[in-house]
Amino acid sequence: DVIFASHHWPRCGEADADRFLVQQRDLYKYIHDQTLRMANHGLTPLEIAEELALPPTLASEWHARSYYGTINHNAKAVYQRYVGWFDGNPANLHRHPPEAAGRRYVELAGGAEALLSKARAAFDAGDYRWTAELVNHLVFADPASEPARALQADALEQLGYQAESGPWRDFYLTAAMELRNPRPKTASPRQAAAGQM
């Protein structure tokens, strides 16, 4: 008579519940099958996630919108389940960790001020994804850089405001808050996750 799904409003009545379950099945099957089809054509997880879109019959359903999960996120998860994290590009086999890569990218950009200037121009143009990616290198290379932290926070905040997905919005806005208000270092590890088991 009633179905309570994890991330949706309750559905009342057998016909409505059946229709919802069928559409959810079709939604996940579509993402699954199309991700594997594109992977078999040689696309990487990032390329698949950018290209994959729902057909109109599913895209028109409010419960298929990206209010919780996103097609972008789920396509990457399907890819990883079958193929793993490696996208087939040997340059990604043994990448530098964020701090080491950050220092190299800052140097490549011509220094911190040059990178910040390019990132500010991207922000002013409304390219918040690119701003976040650029400034991320400087934040990892120099975590104490207030201008870098502030611009990264501004870009992530804009991405959060635009995110339809609740979890993506939470990630963006929490990171922006932590960039503006860093947590002090502690001598012992924080046990925040211990209570979540």
Side-chain angles (χ1 to χ4, degrees), residues 69-84:
T70 69
I71 297 168
N72 186 295
H73 201 111
N74 292 342
K76 292 171 189 166
V78 170
Y79 187 99
Q80 183 170 353
R81 179 183 186 327
Y82 290 100
V83 185

Side-chain angles (χ1 to χ4, degrees), residues 35 38-49 75-95:
T35 298
M38 291 181 190
N40 284 327
H41 284 279
L43 276 70
T44 69
L46 290 176
E47 293 166 331
I48 294 168
K76 292 171 189 166
V78 170
Y79 187 99
Q80 183 170 353
R81 179 183 186 327
Y82 290 100
V83 185
W85 62 269
F86 180 50
D87 63 3
N89 181 345
N92 294 328
L93 275 174
H94 194 200
R95 295 178 70 172

